[in-house]
Amino acid sequence: MIKIEKPAKTQRTVIQQRTRKAIMDKSARLFRDKGYGSTSLRDIASATGMKAGSLYYHFSSKEELAEEVLTQGLFHVAERVKEAVEALPSEASPLEKIRAAMVGHLTALLEKGDYTSANIRCYNHVPAPIKKRLKADRESYDAFWEDLIQSSVTGSFIRKDVDQVSLRYALIGMLNWTLEWPATKHGSPEELGAKFFDMVFSDTLA
Amino acid sequence: MIKIEKPAKTQRTVIQQRTRKAIMDKSARLFRDKGYGSTSLRDIASATGMKAGSLYYHFSSKEELAEEVLTQGLFHVAERVKEAVEALPSEASPLEKIRAAMVGHLTALLEKGDYTSANIRCYNHVPAPIKKRLKADRESYDAFWEDLIQSSVTGSFIRKDVDQVSLRYALIGMLNWTLEWPATKHGSPEELGAKFFDMVFSDTLA
DNA sequence: CCTACCGATCGGTAGG
DNA sequence: CCTACCGATCGGTAGG
């Protein structure tokens, strides 16, 4: 059987994907900096080098574009965290997994800062149907941390009287708040992750 | 000399102040929920029970209104924190001050949630001149924490090798992120503040 | 991917 | 504090 090549269409799809990514990159940065409501499709189009109407060749609405950008922000974090935890040796303790997850989370924030910042900053301001789906994504990411913490307590690595919900939110809060820092003060994800981990899980007191 | 009373004007000023506060209350909630760009003056007016044009009797622009709301959010936090620290006995250690400051910060977040949430959520999305002034306010609040932490290190309450910048951002981050929690899980500011304090400054490990 | 355009809505103002 | 309105801009569409 002869394989029929479709070079024209293939190439066109590649270009389309490239343009699509360019639109999303610019959108992520604009949503992060100006917010959902103050970012117009004309802002996005002109940043990408096209006219507003042309965006509809790639996305069917502003809402769809925003949802895709914000979703990718969270997915990227979840992916990096998963990788970081799975890269550990199989005998790693749940506490070592928490540490790796913290570093992975920070790595994602620094790597894909525009997307993750857009998610964190615009999550509450996006139309309700989108927010509902983003919330479900956040909850499944939350569940990952819940399990890590639960395992640490069950395995007697964390004291049983520590409130697990507060601990989870505290960790995620300190990690996410790094996006509000002056960017120069970050250091590497490994360094910063280690500092945060030690603050909570080692002696901070003199 | 005879004091000339101006009851009409006095009363009118009181009413004006009341209306002004009503507008700000509604604005705070709308900015928090929908963001700066997606909240229209018509939204604010109808929530307050008036017509859009009438807002200009109390505020000269959307930007001025937003700045006043967001500024009040941060000022309220700074005030509560200052109160909480000053309520301590004079022999209180810098570490006890940090603890009190954490509780005070959380108290403000729960008390004036709409204003503080609006500040935290809209800070990055507000027009540049406003953001610049809000930034200066944040920095002076930050300096307060910087001093508390510096004193704790100098007084040998916190280990000297703890990175003070990271610690400050970690504390503020975990405190501010409570605004993203499901409201039911908070507990009282005192309880939650104690939990956070113990996480960082007491043994978390089993 | 652009031109040209739609109705709706925006922040803001004039005059009362 | 309202009515009535302004020009500008919005998200989105038709037709090419």
Side-chain angles (χ1 to χ4, degrees):
Chain A
M1 208 178 172
I2 300 166
K3 258 195 166 178
I4 300 174
E5 297 206 324
K6 300 172 196 166
K9 198 191 171 195
T10 302
Q11 187 168 1
R12 208 185 158 210
T13 302
V14 169
I15 291 173
Q16 276 178 26
Q17 285 174 344
R18 229 172 255 165
T19 306
R20 210 180 143 86
K21 184 176 181 304
I23 293 168
M24 289 178 65
D25 284 351
K26 299 298 185 184
S27 299
R29 176 163 286 261
L30 285 164
F31 286 145
R32 185 196 71 170
D33 291 340
K34 308 182 54 170
Y36 177 77
S38 300
T39 299
S40 70
L41 293 176
R42 283 159 180 86
D43 289 337
I44 294 169
S46 87
T48 319
M50 56 173 71
K51 299 295 176 182
S54 307
L55 293 173
Y56 287 84
Y57 184 69
H58 299 276
F59 297 93
S60 67
S61 69
K62 184 184 179 183
E63 300 194 8
E64 186 197 286
L65 168 56
E67 178 164 359
E68 211 146 327
V69 168
L70 302 205
T71 299
Q72 217 176 86
L74 181 62
F75 272 22
H76 189 254
V77 174
E79 212 172 59
R80 278 276 168 286
V81 168
K82 207 182 156 200
E83 283 171 15
V85 171
E86 287 175 353
L88 291 172
S90 58
E91 67 278 13
S93 75
L95 208 56
E96 286 167 327
K97 287 181 184 172
I98 287 180
R99 196 191 145 104
M102 292 174 77
V103 172
H105 190 111
L106 288 173
T107 303
L109 293 193
L110 295 186
E111 255 176 15
K112 271 249 176 169
D114 293 354
Y115 284 77
T116 55
S117 298
N119 181 303
I120 289 172
R121 289 186 184 170
C122 298
Y123 168 76
N124 289 289
H125 300 154
V126 113
I130 301 181
K131 181 171 174 176
K132 197 180 162 189
R133 288 188 288 271
L134 292 174
K135 194 186 172 198
D137 292 339
R138 280 194 177 194
E139 280 165 357
S140 76
Y141 180 63
D142 262 29
F144 181 87
W145 285 88
E146 200 177 344
D147 289 347
L148 281 187
I149 291 171
Q150 176 63 60
S151 300
S152 299
V153 172
T154 304
S156 295
F157 292 94
I158 294 179
R159 290 174 52 190
K160 300 219 181 297
D161 61 327
V162 167
D163 180 51
Q164 296 185 33
V165 174
S166 302
L167 175 58
R168 186 175 79 240
Y169 279 116
L171 292 178
I172 293 176
M174 72 175 74
L175 293 171
N176 284 344
W177 196 253
T178 57
L179 291 175
E180 303 298 317
W181 298 28
T184 52
K185 297 191 177 170
H186 279 137
S188 75
E190 288 79 13
E191 280 170 4
L192 189 55
K195 284 176 187 169
F196 282 164
F197 182 86
D198 288 344
M199 265 177 219
V200 176
F201 298 108
S202 294
D203 284 342
T204 308
L205 299 184
Chain B
M1 207 179 173
I2 300 169
K3 255 194 169 180
I4 301 174
E5 295 207 324
K6 299 174 194 164
K9 196 189 173 195
T10 301
Q11 188 169 2
R12 210 185 158 211
T13 301
V14 169
I15 291 175
Q16 275 177 28
Q17 285 173 344
R18 229 171 255 166
T19 306
R20 210 180 144 85
K21 184 176 181 302
I23 294 168
M24 288 178 66
D25 285 350
K26 299 298 185 183
S27 300
R29 175 163 286 260
L30 285 164
F31 286 145
R32 185 196 71 170
D33 291 340
K34 308 181 53 169
Y36 177 76
S38 300
T39 299
S40 70
L41 293 176
R42 283 160 180 86
D43 289 337
I44 295 169
S46 89
T48 319
M50 55 173 69
K51 298 294 175 183
S54 307
L55 292 173
Y56 287 84
Y57 185 69
H58 299 277
F59 298 92
S60 66
S61 68
K62 183 184 180 182
E63 300 194 6
E64 186 197 286
L65 169 55
E67 178 163 1
E68 211 146 326
V69 168
L70 302 205
T71 298
Q72 218 177 84
L74 182 62
F75 272 22
H76 189 254
V77 174
E79 213 173 58
R80 278 278 168 284
V81 168
K82 206 183 156 201
E83 283 171 15
V85 171
E86 286 175 353
L88 291 172
S90 59
E91 67 275 16
S93 74
L95 208 56
E96 286 167 328
K97 287 182 184 172
I98 287 179
R99 197 191 143 104
M102 291 174 77
V103 172
H105 190 110
L106 288 172
T107 303
L109 293 194
L110 294 185
E111 255 176 17
K112 271 243 175 177
D114 293 354
Y115 286 77
T116 54
S117 298
N119 180 301
I120 290 173
R121 290 187 183 170
C122 299
Y123 169 76
N124 290 290
H125 300 154
V126 114
I130 302 181
K131 181 171 175 175
K132 195 180 163 188
R133 288 188 288 272
L134 292 175
K135 193 185 172 196
D137 292 339
R138 280 195 177 195
E139 280 165 357
S140 77
Y141 180 63
D142 261 31
F144 180 86
W145 283 89
E146 198 176 345
D147 289 346
L148 281 188
I149 292 171
Q150 176 64 58
S151 301
S152 299
V153 172
T154 306
S156 295
F157 292 93
I158 294 179
R159 290 173 53 190
K160 300 220 180 299
D161 60 328
V162 169
D163 181 52
Q164 296 185 34
V165 174
S166 301
L167 175 58
R168 186 174 80 241
Y169 280 115
L171 292 177
I172 294 177
M174 71 175 73
L175 293 170
N176 284 343
W177 197 252
T178 57
L179 290 174
E180 303 298 317
W181 298 28
T184 51
K185 297 190 177 172
H186 281 136
S188 76
E190 288 78 14
E191 280 170 4
L192 189 54
K195 284 175 188 170
F196 282 163
F197 181 86
D198 289 343
M199 264 177 220
V200 176
F201 297 108
S202 293
D203 283 343
T204 307
L205 299 185

